[in-house]
PDB file of all heavy atoms in Angstrom:
ATOM      1  N   SER A 428      55.915 -46.921 -52.459  1.00  0.00           N
ATOM      2  CA  SER A 428      56.231 -48.330 -52.262  1.00  0.00           C
ATOM      3  C   SER A 428      57.413 -48.466 -51.314  1.00  0.00           C
ATOM      4  O   SER A 428      58.404 -47.731 -51.422  1.00  0.00           O
ATOM      5  CB  SER A 428      56.561 -48.999 -53.607  1.00  0.00           C
ATOM      6  OG  SER A 428      55.431 -49.013 -54.448  1.00  0.00           O
ATOM      7  N   ALA A 429      57.314 -49.419 -50.383  1.00  0.00           N
ATOM      8  CA  ALA A 429      58.366 -49.593 -49.384  1.00  0.00           C
ATOM      9  C   ALA A 429      59.504 -50.458 -49.901  1.00  0.00           C
ATOM     10  O   ALA A 429      60.611 -50.413 -49.376  1.00  0.00           O
ATOM     11  CB  ALA A 429      57.776 -50.210 -48.117  1.00  0.00           C
ATOM     12  N   LEU A 430      59.237 -51.268 -50.923  1.00  0.00           N
ATOM     13  CA  LEU A 430      60.235 -52.187 -51.459  1.00  0.00           C
ATOM     14  C   LEU A 430      60.316 -52.026 -52.971  1.00  0.00           C
ATOM     15  O   LEU A 430      59.506 -51.329 -53.574  1.00  0.00           O
ATOM     16  CB  LEU A 430      59.847 -53.636 -51.119  1.00  0.00           C
ATOM     17  CG  LEU A 430      59.569 -53.960 -49.656  1.00  0.00           C
ATOM     18  CD1 LEU A 430      58.979 -55.369 -49.551  1.00  0.00           C
ATOM     19  CD2 LEU A 430      60.831 -53.861 -48.823  1.00  0.00           C
ATOM     20  N   ASP A 431      61.304 -52.684 -53.557  1.00  0.00           N
ATOM     21  CA  ASP A 431      61.382 -52.739 -55.015  1.00  0.00           C
ATOM     22  C   ASP A 431      60.300 -53.703 -55.492  1.00  0.00           C
ATOM     23  O   ASP A 431      60.397 -54.917 -55.321  1.00  0.00           O
ATOM     24  CB  ASP A 431      62.765 -53.230 -55.443  1.00  0.00           C
ATOM     25  CG  ASP A 431      62.923 -53.247 -56.967  1.00  0.00           C
ATOM     26  OD1 ASP A 431      61.952 -52.909 -57.668  1.00  0.00           O
ATOM     27  OD2 ASP A 431      64.010 -53.619 -57.445  1.00  0.00           O
ATOM     28  N   MET A 432      59.264 -53.150 -56.081  1.00  0.00           N
ATOM     29  CA  MET A 432      58.096 -53.940 -56.466  1.00  0.00           C
ATOM     30  C   MET A 432      58.111 -54.323 -57.953  1.00  0.00           C
ATOM     31  O   MET A 432      57.112 -54.815 -58.480  1.00  0.00           O
ATOM     32  CB  MET A 432      56.826 -53.147 -56.165  1.00  0.00           C
ATOM     33  CG  MET A 432      56.662 -52.749 -54.708  1.00  0.00           C
ATOM     34  SD  MET A 432      56.344 -54.159 -53.646  1.00  0.00           S
ATOM     35  CE  MET A 432      54.639 -54.518 -54.080  1.00  0.00           C
ATOM     36  N   THR A 433      59.230 -54.134 -58.629  1.00  0.00           N
ATOM     37  CA  THR A 433      59.302 -54.362 -60.075  1.00  0.00           C
ATOM     38  C   THR A 433      58.824 -55.766 -60.460  1.00  0.00           C
ATOM     39  O   THR A 433      58.053 -55.936 -61.416  1.00  0.00           O
ATOM     40  CB  THR A 433      60.739 -54.163 -60.591  1.00  0.00           C
ATOM     41  OG1 THR A 433      61.180 -52.844 -60.244  1.00  0.00           O
ATOM     42  CG2 THR A 433      60.795 -54.327 -62.106  1.00  0.00           C
ATOM     43  N   ARG A 434      59.279 -56.761 -59.715  1.00  0.00           N
ATOM     44  CA  ARG A 434      58.902 -58.138 -60.038  1.00  0.00           C
ATOM     45  C   ARG A 434      57.392 -58.341 -59.896  1.00  0.00           C
ATOM     46  O   ARG A 434      56.765 -58.997 -60.733  1.00  0.00           O
ATOM     47  CB  ARG A 434      59.659 -59.097 -59.127  1.00  0.00           C
ATOM     48  CG  ARG A 434      59.426 -60.565 -59.433  1.00  0.00           C
ATOM     49  CD  ARG A 434      60.280 -61.445 -58.543  1.00  0.00           C
ATOM     50  NE  ARG A 434      60.040 -62.851 -58.784  1.00  0.00           N
ATOM     51  CZ  ARG A 434      60.648 -63.826 -58.125  1.00  0.00           C
ATOM     52  NH1 ARG A 434      61.539 -63.527 -57.193  1.00  0.00           N
ATOM     53  NH2 ARG A 434      60.367 -65.092 -58.397  1.00  0.00           N
ATOM     54  N   TYR A 435      56.830 -57.767 -58.852  1.00  0.00           N
ATOM     55  CA  TYR A 435      55.384 -57.903 -58.645  1.00  0.00           C
ATOM     56  C   TYR A 435      54.612 -57.158 -59.724  1.00  0.00           C
ATOM     57  O   TYR A 435      53.575 -57.636 -60.191  1.00  0.00           O
ATOM     58  CB  TYR A 435      55.006 -57.375 -57.270  1.00  0.00           C
ATOM     59  CG  TYR A 435      53.524 -57.461 -56.967  1.00  0.00           C
ATOM     60  CD1 TYR A 435      52.879 -58.693 -56.898  1.00  0.00           C
ATOM     61  CD2 TYR A 435      52.776 -56.304 -56.777  1.00  0.00           C
ATOM     62  CE1 TYR A 435      51.518 -58.778 -56.639  1.00  0.00           C
ATOM     63  CE2 TYR A 435      51.411 -56.375 -56.512  1.00  0.00           C
ATOM     64  CZ  TYR A 435      50.793 -57.613 -56.443  1.00  0.00           C
ATOM     65  OH  TYR A 435      49.447 -57.683 -56.192  1.00  0.00           O
ATOM     66  N   TRP A 436      55.105 -55.983 -60.165  1.00  0.00           N
ATOM     67  CA  TRP A 436      54.415 -55.236 -61.230  1.00  0.00           C
ATOM     68  C   TRP A 436      54.390 -56.056 -62.522  1.00  0.00           C
ATOM     69  O   TRP A 436      53.406 -56.036 -63.258  1.00  0.00           O
ATOM     70  CB  TRP A 436      55.095 -53.903 -61.488  1.00  0.00           C
ATOM     71  CG  TRP A 436      55.155 -52.917 -60.360  1.00  0.00           C
ATOM     72  CD1 TRP A 436      56.084 -51.933 -60.200  1.00  0.00           C
ATOM     73  CD2 TRP A 436      54.237 -52.761 -59.250  1.00  0.00           C
ATOM     74  NE1 TRP A 436      55.832 -51.193 -59.070  1.00  0.00           N
ATOM     75  CE2 TRP A 436      54.695 -51.679 -58.474  1.00  0.00           C
ATOM     76  CE3 TRP A 436      53.097 -53.442 -58.837  1.00  0.00           C
ATOM     77  CZ2 TRP A 436      54.048 -51.261 -57.314  1.00  0.00           C
ATOM     78  CZ3 TRP A 436      52.451 -53.043 -57.675  1.00  0.00           C
ATOM     79  CH2 TRP A 436      52.920 -51.962 -56.929  1.00  0.00           C
ATOM     80  N   ARG A 437      55.483 -56.793 -62.801  1.00  0.00           N
ATOM     81  CA  ARG A 437      55.509 -57.614 -64.022  1.00  0.00           C
ATOM     82  C   ARG A 437      54.508 -58.772 -63.907  1.00  0.00           C
ATOM     83  O   ARG A 437      53.903 -59.191 -64.905  1.00  0.00           O
ATOM     84  CB  ARG A 437      56.916 -58.149 -64.259  1.00  0.00           C
ATOM     85  CG  ARG A 437      57.996 -57.080 -64.453  1.00  0.00           C
ATOM     86  CD  ARG A 437      57.795 -56.215 -65.686  1.00  0.00           C
ATOM     87  NE  ARG A 437      56.757 -55.210 -65.543  1.00  0.00           N
ATOM     88  CZ  ARG A 437      56.920 -54.027 -64.911  1.00  0.00           C
ATOM     89  NH1 ARG A 437      58.082 -53.737 -64.362  1.00  0.00           N
ATOM     90  NH2 ARG A 437      55.927 -53.164 -64.843  1.00  0.00           N
ATOM     91  N   GLN A 438      54.327 -59.315 -62.719  1.00  0.00           N
ATOM     92  CA  GLN A 438      53.314 -60.351 -62.520  1.00  0.00           C
ATOM     93  C   GLN A 438      51.919 -59.784 -62.767  1.00  0.00           C
ATOM     94  O   GLN A 438      51.067 -60.447 -63.363  1.00  0.00           O
ATOM     95  CB  GLN A 438      53.420 -60.924 -61.112  1.00  0.00           C
ATOM     96  CG  GLN A 438      54.676 -61.739 -60.868  1.00  0.00           C
ATOM     97  CD  GLN A 438      54.783 -62.224 -59.434  1.00  0.00           C
ATOM     98  OE1 GLN A 438      54.003 -61.837 -58.557  1.00  0.00           O
ATOM     99  NE2 GLN A 438      55.757 -63.068 -59.167  1.00  0.00           N
ATOM    100  N   LEU A 439      51.718 -58.550 -62.317  1.00  0.00           N
ATOM    101  CA  LEU A 439      50.429 -57.899 -62.555  1.00  0.00           C
ATOM    102  C   LEU A 439      50.206 -57.659 -64.039  1.00  0.00           C
ATOM    103  O   LEU A 439      49.074 -57.755 -64.527  1.00  0.00           O
ATOM    104  CB  LEU A 439      50.355 -56.571 -61.791  1.00  0.00           C
ATOM    105  CG  LEU A 439      49.656 -56.602 -60.434  1.00  0.00           C
ATOM    106  CD1 LEU A 439      49.654 -55.217 -59.801  1.00  0.00           C
ATOM    107  CD2 LEU A 439      48.221 -57.123 -60.563  1.00  0.00           C
ATOM    108  N   ASP A 440      51.287 -57.341 -64.770  1.00  0.00           N
ATOM    109  CA  ASP A 440      51.172 -57.191 -66.227  1.00  0.00           C
ATOM    110  C   ASP A 440      50.576 -58.455 -66.842  1.00  0.00           C
ATOM    111  O   ASP A 440      49.677 -58.388 -67.685  1.00  0.00           O
ATOM    112  CB  ASP A 440      52.555 -56.928 -66.847  1.00  0.00           C
ATOM    113  CG  ASP A 440      53.001 -55.485 -66.685  1.00  0.00           C
ATOM    114  OD1 ASP A 440      52.140 -54.630 -66.421  1.00  0.00           O
ATOM    115  OD2 ASP A 440      54.210 -55.233 -66.807  1.00  0.00           O
ATOM    116  N   ASP A 441      51.098 -59.604 -66.416  1.00  0.00           N
ATOM    117  CA  ASP A 441      50.620 -60.884 -66.959  1.00  0.00           C
ATOM    118  C   ASP A 441      49.162 -61.128 -66.579  1.00  0.00           C
ATOM    119  O   ASP A 441      48.360 -61.594 -67.408  1.00  0.00           O
ATOM    120  CB  ASP A 441      51.493 -62.036 -66.451  1.00  0.00           C
ATOM    121  CG  ASP A 441      52.909 -61.965 -66.983  1.00  0.00           C
ATOM    122  OD1 ASP A 441      53.113 -61.313 -68.033  1.00  0.00           O
ATOM    123  OD2 ASP A 441      53.820 -62.547 -66.350  1.00  0.00           O
ATOM    124  N   GLU A 442      48.803 -60.838 -65.340  1.00  0.00           N
ATOM    125  CA  GLU A 442      47.430 -61.065 -64.886  1.00  0.00           C
ATOM    126  C   GLU A 442      46.446 -60.164 -65.625  1.00  0.00           C
ATOM    127  O   GLU A 442      45.346 -60.584 -65.981  1.00  0.00           O
ATOM    128  CB  GLU A 442      47.341 -60.833 -63.377  1.00  0.00           C
ATOM    129  CG  GLU A 442      48.078 -61.882 -62.554  1.00  0.00           C
ATOM    130  CD  GLU A 442      47.927 -61.666 -61.073  1.00  0.00           C
ATOM    131  OE1 GLU A 442      46.957 -60.997 -60.661  1.00  0.00           O
ATOM    132  OE2 GLU A 442      48.779 -62.152 -60.315  1.00  0.00           O
ATOM    133  N   VAL A 443      46.838 -58.911 -65.854  1.00  0.00           N
ATOM    134  CA  VAL A 443      45.979 -57.979 -66.592  1.00  0.00           C
ATOM    135  C   VAL A 443      45.782 -58.469 -68.031  1.00  0.00           C
ATOM    136  O   VAL A 443      44.675 -58.444 -68.574  1.00  0.00           O
ATOM    137  CB  VAL A 443      46.576 -56.557 -66.573  1.00  0.00           C
ATOM    138  CG1 VAL A 443      45.850 -55.652 -67.569  1.00  0.00           C
ATOM    139  CG2 VAL A 443      46.494 -55.954 -65.164  1.00  0.00           C
ATOM    140  N   ALA A 444      46.891 -58.942 -68.643  1.00  0.00           N
ATOM    141  CA  ALA A 444      46.812 -59.424 -70.029  1.00  0.00           C
ATOM    142  C   ALA A 444      45.913 -60.658 -70.150  1.00  0.00           C
ATOM    143  O   ALA A 444      45.265 -60.863 -71.183  1.00  0.00           O
ATOM    144  CB  ALA A 444      48.213 -59.743 -70.541  1.00  0.00           C
ATOM    145  N   GLN A 445      45.872 -61.455 -69.084  1.00  0.00           N
ATOM    146  CA  GLN A 445      45.083 -62.683 -69.110  1.00  0.00           C
ATOM    147  C   GLN A 445      43.660 -62.490 -68.588  1.00  0.00           C
ATOM    148  O   GLN A 445      42.888 -63.449 -68.543  1.00  0.00           O
ATOM    149  CB  GLN A 445      45.795 -63.757 -68.271  1.00  0.00           C
ATOM    150  CG  GLN A 445      47.148 -64.178 -68.817  1.00  0.00           C
ATOM    151  CD  GLN A 445      47.917 -65.064 -67.857  1.00  0.00           C
ATOM    152  OE1 GLN A 445      47.349 -65.618 -66.921  1.00  0.00           O
ATOM    153  NE2 GLN A 445      49.215 -65.195 -68.093  1.00  0.00           N
ATOM    154  N   THR A 446      43.338 -61.257 -68.221  1.00  0.00           N
ATOM    155  CA  THR A 446      42.003 -60.987 -67.674  1.00  0.00           C
ATOM    156  C   THR A 446      41.364 -59.847 -68.458  1.00  0.00           C
ATOM    157  O   THR A 446      41.341 -58.695 -68.021  1.00  0.00           O
ATOM    158  CB  THR A 446      42.082 -60.611 -66.181  1.00  0.00           C
ATOM    159  OG1 THR A 446      42.911 -61.545 -65.486  1.00  0.00           O
ATOM    160  CG2 THR A 446      40.693 -60.576 -65.554  1.00  0.00           C
ATOM    161  N   PRO A 447      40.844 -60.121 -69.631  1.00  0.00           N
ATOM    162  CA  PRO A 447      40.231 -59.048 -70.428  1.00  0.00           C
ATOM    163  C   PRO A 447      38.965 -58.532 -69.757  1.00  0.00           C
ATOM    164  O   PRO A 447      38.211 -59.276 -69.134  1.00  0.00           O
ATOM    165  CB  PRO A 447      39.915 -59.748 -71.762  1.00  0.00           C
ATOM    166  CG  PRO A 447      39.825 -61.197 -71.418  1.00  0.00           C
ATOM    167  CD  PRO A 447      40.800 -61.427 -70.304  1.00  0.00           C
ATOM    168  N   MET A 448      38.761 -57.234 -69.881  1.00  0.00           N
ATOM    169  CA  MET A 448      37.565 -56.622 -69.317  1.00  0.00           C
ATOM    170  C   MET A 448      36.376 -56.862 -70.243  1.00  0.00           C
ATOM    171  O   MET A 448      36.545 -57.107 -71.446  1.00  0.00           O
ATOM    172  CB  MET A 448      37.793 -55.114 -69.154  1.00  0.00           C
ATOM    173  CG  MET A 448      38.856 -54.760 -68.116  1.00  0.00           C
ATOM    174  SD  MET A 448      38.341 -55.161 -66.434  1.00  0.00           S
ATOM    175  CE  MET A 448      37.055 -53.931 -66.178  1.00  0.00           C
ATOM    176  N   PRO A 449      35.170 -56.825 -69.723  1.00  0.00           N
ATOM    177  CA  PRO A 449      33.973 -56.943 -70.582  1.00  0.00           C
ATOM    178  C   PRO A 449      34.008 -55.891 -71.683  1.00  0.00           C
ATOM    179  O   PRO A 449      34.623 -54.835 -71.535  1.00  0.00           O
ATOM    180  CB  PRO A 449      32.824 -56.711 -69.604  1.00  0.00           C
ATOM    181  CG  PRO A 449      33.375 -57.095 -68.267  1.00  0.00           C
ATOM    182  CD  PRO A 449      34.819 -56.702 -68.292  1.00  0.00           C
ATOM    183  N   SER A 450      33.349 -56.174 -72.784  1.00  0.00           N
ATOM    184  CA  SER A 450      33.419 -55.309 -73.974  1.00  0.00           C
ATOM    185  C   SER A 450      33.043 -53.862 -73.673  1.00  0.00           C
ATOM    186  O   SER A 450      33.630 -52.929 -74.237  1.00  0.00           O
ATOM    187  CB  SER A 450      32.518 -55.864 -75.076  1.00  0.00           C
ATOM    188  OG  SER A 450      31.175 -55.980 -74.605  1.00  0.00           O
ATOM    189  N   GLU A 451      32.070 -53.657 -72.781  1.00  0.00           N
ATOM    190  CA  GLU A 451      31.643 -52.274 -72.497  1.00  0.00           C
ATOM    191  C   GLU A 451      32.688 -51.466 -71.732  1.00  0.00           C
ATOM    192  O   GLU A 451      32.585 -50.245 -71.605  1.00  0.00           O
ATOM    193  CB  GLU A 451      30.313 -52.272 -71.730  1.00  0.00           C
ATOM    194  CG  GLU A 451      30.360 -52.953 -70.375  1.00  0.00           C
ATOM    195  CD  GLU A 451      29.936 -54.402 -70.443  1.00  0.00           C
ATOM    196  OE1 GLU A 451      30.184 -55.041 -71.506  1.00  0.00           O
ATOM    197  OE2 GLU A 451      29.358 -54.895 -69.463  1.00  0.00           O
ATOM    198  N   TYR A 452      33.736 -52.152 -71.203  1.00  0.00           N
ATOM    199  CA  TYR A 452      34.783 -51.451 -70.454  1.00  0.00           C
ATOM    200  C   TYR A 452      36.124 -51.427 -71.184  1.00  0.00           C
ATOM    201  O   TYR A 452      37.073 -50.799 -70.713  1.00  0.00           O
ATOM    202  CB  TYR A 452      35.001 -52.126 -69.094  1.00  0.00           C
ATOM    203  CG  TYR A 452      33.832 -51.995 -68.153  1.00  0.00           C
ATOM    204  CD1 TYR A 452      32.947 -53.056 -67.977  1.00  0.00           C
ATOM    205  CD2 TYR A 452      33.615 -50.826 -67.425  1.00  0.00           C
ATOM    206  CE1 TYR A 452      31.862 -52.953 -67.107  1.00  0.00           C
ATOM    207  CE2 TYR A 452      32.545 -50.717 -66.561  1.00  0.00           C
ATOM    208  CZ  TYR A 452      31.672 -51.777 -66.402  1.00  0.00           C
ATOM    209  OH  TYR A 452      30.603 -51.663 -65.540  1.00  0.00           O
TER     210      TYR A 452
END
Side-chain angles (χ1 to χ4, degrees):
S428 295
L430 307 171
D431 183 358
M432 301 291 286
T433 303
R434 184 176 178 181
Y435 179 63
W436 299 154
R437 299 297 76 80
Q438 291 177 352
L439 264 180
D440 281 342
D441 294 338
E442 291 182 22
V443 168
Q445 296 171 16
T446 312
M448 294 292 290
S450 57
E451 62 266 32
Y452 293 101

